[in-house]
Amino acid sequence: MRTRLRKWSLLLGAAAVLALPLTSWAQLTQFDLAKTLNAESHVGNVTGHAKDAAAPYRRYCVGCHGPLGDGEGENAPWMDAPMYQKPRNFQLGVFKCRSTPTGTLPADQDLYDAITRGFDRSNMPQWNTLTKQERTDLVAWVKHFSPRFATEKPGAPIPIPPEPEVTPERIKAGREVFARVQCWKCHGVQGMANGPSASTLTDDLGRPIAPFNFTDGSRPKCGDTDQDIYRIFMTGLDGTPMPSFADNIKPEEAWDLVFYLRTFMSQKSKEKELAKQLALKPVDPNAPAGQQ
Amino acid sequence: MKNPRNYAVLVSAVVLVCCGALILGQKVNAAGEGKITGTVKLDGAAPHMKGIDMSKDPYCSKAHASDPAHLETYVVGAGGALENVVLSIDGWSGSAQVTTAIPVFDQKNCMYSPHVLAMDAGETFKVETSDQTAHNIHPLPNPMVNVGWNQSQPPGAPPIEKSWKAAEVIPVKCNIHPWMNGWFVVVKGPYATTDANGKYTIAGVPPGSYTVTAWQEAAGTQTQKVTVAAGGSATADFTFKAK
């Protein structure tokens, strides 16, 4: 009995220590946010002003993201479907979809694209019905919630070389990259989100999160063009378990990997056709390095 | 100066004197700096550390085939010696800590080595991998204090060099191997971490009165006041109770 008690108290203590950084994350108040109301954004030749977005934010966004931008809007408690992410807490300044390296702020264009695109498999719809000016103003409004934007510059966008021609050799090379950096640990050898680590993943706030399933027809959250997919694994999705591979995948290899990932996706593509002709097998996790 | 041997002797004498002066000069600069030493112990029996099931990754379980892995919340040695306790000085206002060696955080046999890595705010540290399995290194700072990141380290990956701008206790995890957890303990000023014998030495402390803080990941923090004399050594021993 005593040992059990001690065990429980140990566990509780550890849980308390682990939970501490989550609960103690400071909250900004209306008074703090008033200081950054002059935030601006630049998308193409449009300049956005935070002040002009107060009304559209209250109309379209406040229900989920909340008046303080902390993701605690009145709808937020009801968004509890398993594996669905809660509304973003803008105060933390951490964003999944960026063109900039992991640990850096997104570019204005990244936030604009996120608002325009919405997020597949989430409660965030596409806002492409708003005018370009409204969306750009909203980007400035989103930025005014995090003090980081007032003091830091966004990271330098990761360079994306021009997309080469899809060839069987490139698809085979992409398969080698997939095996070498071990994408299958989470995404599974067939991209079905069933890798050995898939079931234990949690996001930065400790909530369960699923790896992307390439095969079920869903669209990647940060866009589904070839450039978007390239960007996703080179920048990582901050706030989630998806790390940046920029240090470990060379730019030309990155295109090979994009082509190989396309072979998993249910949508028709040249890559899928070629993979069928090549009769590609899933990678073997037990094969020695470079011998797929 | 006709004899070349005499010449050589003279030259080496001059070189020696110069070197000596340089070394002494450095010592003169450092004169007055003292140190704080001590031993950290855990009171009572060492808590049982649960074993870790690594069967999800055959590479990991094979690495621990003969030496089963277990949690490292409390690493207790002979006589209650408590390892991985970080000692630092409260309200440090001196100049930046000058360390000779870069703190290194290694991923070895699907565990973090060391389990706790202390460093000064702004100090460069290195993350390496010795493993033939992919890891992702994912520190989780409070976004209001430090900026987090998440990078992959597949087998043979180059080391990552980073630094933290502000003092904070930052949990580190690998999402691929959910049992992997460690700590970056970022402090301001000189610091030390207890070894397997529970001993530590904070070097380079100018004379004065200080409050030493001891941090243990589960047992919490304790403080003690010490006075360091010029070139002297102050002692601060700590005893933690397991929680």
Side-chain angles (χ1 to χ4, degrees):
Chain A
M1 188 59 203
R2 274 201 82 132
T3 52
R4 188 180 280 180
L5 204 83
R6 194 183 291 161
K7 197 167 147 190
W8 272 108
S9 50
L10 185 74
L11 250 167
L12 275 173
V17 167
L18 282 173
L20 201 72
L22 303 183
T23 50
S24 63
W25 285 356
Q27 274 282 328
L28 298 177
T29 64
Q30 254 157 329
F31 302 104
D32 300 318
L33 296 176
K35 292 176 204 152
T36 45
L37 270 176
N38 57 353
E40 276 190 10
S41 64
H42 303 276
V43 177
N45 54 6
V46 179
T47 299
H49 301 277
K51 281 191 183 111
D52 296 340
Y57 182 82
R58 199 162 287 280
R59 180 162 183 195
Y60 304 116
C61 321
V62 79
C64 299
H65 291 285
L68 298 174
D70 55 3
E72 299 291 347
E74 57 183 11
N75 303 330
W78 315 106
M79 298 182 175
D80 52 0
M83 299 298 177
Y84 268 55
Q85 298 307 292
K86 291 269 185 184
R88 181 128 310 236
N89 179 349
F90 298 131
Q91 294 193 0
L92 304 180
V94 177
F95 295 90
K96 273 198 292 287
C97 303
R98 301 173 329 277
S99 58
T100 60
T102 177
T104 61
L105 290 174
D108 291 354
Q109 181 76 49
D110 297 334
L111 297 174
Y112 180 88
D113 290 344
I115 294 172
T116 307
R117 194 195 305 119
F119 290 99
D120 195 35
R121 291 156 291 126
S122 88
N123 294 290
M124 171 78 176
Q126 300 180 357
W127 291 103
N128 50 7
T129 47
L130 302 183
T131 65
K132 194 165 182 197
Q133 182 66 53
E134 281 175 311
R135 278 176 274 165
T136 310
D137 290 338
L138 282 169
V139 169
W141 186 259
V142 166
K143 286 166 70 180
H144 107 285
F145 285 122
S146 164
R148 277 185 69 195
F149 283 100
T151 53
E152 280 174 52
K153 282 205 158 64
I158 59 136
I160 303 185
E163 184 169 351
E165 192 70 26
V166 182
T167 61
E169 288 68 39
R170 283 198 171 270
I171 291 179
K172 279 196 267 185
R175 185 168 170 270
E176 290 294 336
V177 178
F178 186 87
R180 175 170 61 82
V181 302
Q182 307 188 353
C183 310
W184 52 266
K185 281 252 161 82
C186 298
H187 294 284
V189 291
Q190 291 168 296
M192 296 172 79
N194 58 356
S197 301
S199 60
T200 50
L201 297 177
T202 53
D203 69 9
D204 282 14
L205 301 172
R207 296 183 293 231
I209 187 169
F212 181 65
N213 184 342
F214 289 87
T215 63
D216 68 0
S218 45
R219 281 175 294 129
K221 280 208 163 73
C222 297
D224 59 359
T225 68
D226 288 351
Q227 277 76 12
D228 289 330
I229 296 172
Y230 186 112
R231 212 174 282 125
I232 287 168
F233 59 76
M234 292 302 250
T235 64
L237 305 184
D238 284 0
T240 81
M242 176 70 184
S244 158
F245 287 85
D247 287 354
N248 297 294
I249 299 179
K250 295 191 198 87
E252 60 274 17
E253 293 178 322
W255 278 121
D256 299 344
L257 182 57
V258 170
F259 298 149
Y260 182 61
L261 295 176
R262 277 267 178 242
T263 68
F264 294 142
M265 296 172 106
S266 54
Q267 293 89 340
K268 268 190 184 165
S269 64
K270 191 180 173 192
E271 290 87 345
K272 220 173 158 57
E273 276 304 308
L274 284 172
K276 211 181 261 174
Q277 287 167 26
L278 290 167
L280 277 190
K281 285 198 175 69
V283 297
D284 174 9
N286 299 316
Q291 292 181 28
Q292 282 301 329
Chain B
M1 279 296 153
K2 273 177 194 152
N3 193 339
R5 192 182 281 171
N6 277 352
Y7 186 67
V9 167
L10 195 74
V11 166
S12 25
V14 166
V15 166
L16 266 175
V17 167
C18 286
C19 288
L22 268 175
I23 292 166
L24 279 174
Q26 272 183 349
K27 273 205 177 137
V28 168
N29 282 343
E33 286 193 341
K35 58 185 181 180
I36 304 169
T37 65
T39 310
V40 182
K41 288 190 167 161
L42 188 75
D43 187 27
H48 171 70
M49 288 292 111
K50 249 175 101 175
I52 300 174
D53 175 14
M54 296 192 180
S55 55
K56 274 195 175 201
D57 191 331
Y59 172 87
C60 304
S61 46
K62 216 164 137 191
H64 288 277
S66 57
D67 174 26
H70 46 78
L71 295 181
E72 294 178 317
T73 317
Y74 290 99
V75 180
V76 184
L82 193 52
E83 202 180 334
N84 292 332
V85 177
V86 176
L87 290 302
S88 60
I89 294 174
D90 270 18
W92 175 260
S93 56
S95 54
Q97 162 85 337
V98 183
T99 42
T100 42
I102 293 183
V104 176
F105 198 63
D106 191 15
Q107 295 154 104
K108 200 173 182 185
N109 297 335
C110 305
M111 300 284 280
Y112 290 127
S113 171
H115 176 63
V116 173
L117 187 73
M119 67 192 81
D120 192 2
E123 183 179 5
T124 301
F125 68 100
K126 220 190 248 187
V127 181
E128 298 180 343
T129 180
S130 306
D131 280 348
Q132 287 304 308
T133 188
H135 293 296
N136 73 311
I137 175 99
H138 193 167
L140 294 157
N142 174 347
M144 300 291 194
V145 180
N146 279 300
V147 179
W149 41 270
N150 180 8
Q151 287 186 224
S152 72
Q153 284 204 313
I160 299 169
E161 280 194 9
K162 295 270 184 187
S163 67
W164 297 105
K165 63 178 179 195
E168 185 189 358
V169 174
I170 302 173
V172 188
K173 67 188 260 182
C174 170
N175 295 96
I176 299 171
H177 304 106
W179 61 81
M180 286 175 75
N181 72 89
W183 302 89
F184 291 146
V185 182
V186 188
V187 299
K188 247 185 124 48
Y191 58 85
T193 313
T194 54
D195 60 14
N197 299 316
K199 292 197 184 307
Y200 75 91
T201 302
I202 306 179
V205 185
S209 293
Y210 300 99
T211 303
V212 180
T213 296
W215 172 93
Q216 207 281 341
E217 63 173 281
T221 56
Q222 286 186 18
T223 56
Q224 228 178 95
K225 284 195 163 46
V226 293
T227 302
V228 180
S233 171
T235 307
D237 295 333
F238 293 88
T239 304
F240 279 98
K241 266 197 156 62
K243 271 185 188 163

